[in-house]
Amino acid sequence: MTNPAIPIPEMLDFLTRLLKTPSPTGDTEAALAYVQANFAELPVIFHHPRKGGLVFTWEGNGARPRALTAHVDTLGAMVQRIKSDGRLVLTPIGSFDWHSVETEGCTVLTGKGLAYRGSILPVKASVHIYGPEARQLERVAENYEVRLDATVFDEEDTLDLGIRPGDFVAFDPRVEVNSGFVRSRHLDDKAGVACIYGALLALHRAGLAPRFRLEVLVSGYEEVGHGAATGIPEDTVELVAVDMAAAGDLQNSDEFSVGICAKDSGGPYHLGLRRQLEALAEANAIPYRTDIYPFYGSDGEVAWRAGADLKVALIGPGVDASHSYERTHTDSLEATARLIVAYLLSE
């Protein structure tokens, strides 16, 4: 049987809109609502875990239930305190280097539902004022601040806007699609969610269904290490985490194939399931790269650490400059979606 074609234009449109929906870890409800609205075309049942996130079930043969997971939460920050001049000190959410968000635009999301624009700047940003000190400033959290696009001169002015410590700060994604490339922050892991979307849409529109009952967990706490600790039914026998493949120097992954992870910072993934995915890629002429990621972890390992008794594998689109200003290619998105389809239709 020929696998169904992936609806690439719809997958890209879904991805770009999702990338433009702010969802720093801990404040993901808008993105999850967007995901649910788009997956509503499928014959699935939605569940809302108390912890957060989204789970949906495509009913079917219960002999060997399978699961997919991807995460919608992204890197971001939170207001730690308001300075005497009204500017904001941030605490990071997730793991990134501060130089990667230097001069980035951002949005402060207040508890009252207001949003304020600003810029993330070093405290000594101007070489005209600070000279060599600006270039030598250590790139650590305490040396950065948010300059609000609001008329504020002191702490009280900022408080009057409704901004408080604990408010979330979302980094601008700056999404562009050029010559097949998708350039944006937060492709980790909104690209993975898009690949699942493209795969399941392709199955449904071809009149097909997964061979076994399918559970999909869209988690909201992956970037802080406990996204898939809950949400996967106990009778699930296999879990494929769909997350980015780190492409770049010293890596085998690239932006034009699907990455299959053999080992990351948490150790090896399930050998039998990994070999099955590699064989499916070869049988279906899907370009793939097997790789090892020494500074990387996934929600698949989180499920294992939480005590899940299942096989776990990790695949995903190749993403260059991960946790910085990222880039992938539609070839990689398509290859990942095709491998998901092949897996879901396999014995």
Side-chain angles (χ1 to χ4, degrees), residues 315-326:
I315 67 172
V319 172
D320 184 67
S322 58
H323 280 204
S324 185
Y325 190 33
E326 300 167 339

Side-chain angles (χ1 to χ4, degrees), residues 160-199:
D160 287 345
L161 296 176
I163 295 174
R164 298 289 186 274
D167 287 341
F168 285 91
V169 178
F171 305 152
D172 286 0
R174 290 192 286 126
V175 187
E176 288 190 33
V177 181
N178 302 303
S179 303
F181 288 99
V182 183
R183 176 158 47 90
S184 178
R185 291 187 181 277
H186 313 320
L187 290 170
D188 173 18
D189 180 37
K190 293 183 176 182
V193 179
C195 290
I196 294 175
Y197 175 74

Side-chain angles (χ1 to χ4, degrees), residues 55-347:
V55 177
F56 57 90
T57 303
W58 191 327
E59 294 288 359
N61 185 342
R64 287 172 51 206
R66 291 168 167 169
L68 302 173
T69 187
H71 66 94
V72 76
D73 62 304
T74 69
L75 302 175
M78 191 178 279
V79 178
Q80 180 166 318
R81 64 180 177 88
I82 302 170
K83 301 174 71 172
S84 59
D85 61 1
R87 297 190 178 194
L88 308 177
V89 176
L90 300 181
T91 181
I93 297 174
S95 176
F96 59 88
D97 286 327
W98 281 97
H99 74 268
S100 71
V101 295
E102 189 168 307
T103 74
E104 187 63 86
C106 64
T107 302
V108 181
L109 306 166
T110 76
K112 295 184 177 180
L114 301 174
Y116 293 97
R117 297 287 294 152
S119 305
I120 301 170
L121 297 172
V123 293
K124 296 181 178 181
S126 173
V127 294
H128 292 107
I129 296 174
Y130 299 105
E133 288 184 76
R135 297 184 178 91
Q136 296 164 5
L137 189 70
E138 187 179 4
R139 267 47 186 175
V140 292
E142 54 266 34
N143 287 338
Y144 284 87
E145 63 187 9
V146 172
R147 178 189 64 194
L148 292 166
D149 294 338
T151 305
V152 295
F153 298 100
D154 54 32
E155 181 181 4
E156 198 64 35
D157 288 338
T158 299
L159 288 169
D160 287 345
L161 296 176
I163 295 174
R164 298 289 186 274
D167 287 341
F168 285 91
V169 178
F171 305 152
D172 286 0
R174 290 192 286 126
V175 187
E176 288 190 33
V177 181
N178 302 303
S179 303
F181 288 99
V182 183
R183 176 158 47 90
S184 178
R185 291 187 181 277
H186 313 320
L187 290 170
D188 173 18
D189 180 37
K190 293 183 176 182
V193 179
C195 290
I196 294 175
Y197 175 74
L200 298 189
L201 207 62
L203 281 175
H204 177 57
R205 291 183 178 174
L208 301 171
R211 186 172 294 273
F212 300 100
R213 192 190 83 216
L214 175 66
E215 306 286 342
V216 179
L217 167 62
V218 183
S219 74
Y221 287 95
E222 192 275 348
E223 292 293 354
V224 293
H226 58 85
T230 59
I232 299 170
E234 288 187 11
D235 64 344
T236 305
V237 299
E238 293 177 353
L239 170 65
V240 174
V242 184
D243 208 334
M244 61 113 196
D249 189 28
L250 306 180
Q251 296 302 134
N252 195 40
S253 301
D254 63 28
E255 298 172 78
F256 308 98
S257 59
V258 54
I260 300 178
C261 183
K263 173 184 177 291
D264 63 16
S265 64
Y269 286 86
H270 190 275
L271 180 59
L273 185 52
R274 192 244 294 183
R275 293 295 191 209
Q276 178 186 349
L277 292 165
E278 291 169 334
L280 285 169
E282 291 174 6
N284 290 276
I286 300 170
Y288 77 95
R289 296 286 189 110
T290 300
D291 208 351
I292 292 169
Y293 309 125
F295 306 109
Y296 180 119
S298 82
D299 260 344
E301 289 163 336
V302 170
W304 263 343
R305 291 192 180 99
D309 181 19
L310 39 66
K311 300 176 183 179
V312 176
L314 169 64
I315 67 172
V319 172
D320 184 67
S322 58
H323 280 204
S324 185
Y325 190 33
E326 300 167 339
R327 192 183 72 171
T328 191
H329 193 276
T330 52
D331 287 353
S332 188
L333 299 173
E334 181 182 15
T336 303
R338 287 179 60 204
L339 184 54
I340 294 170
V341 168
Y343 168 67
L344 295 179
L345 291 176
S346 67
E347 293 285 354

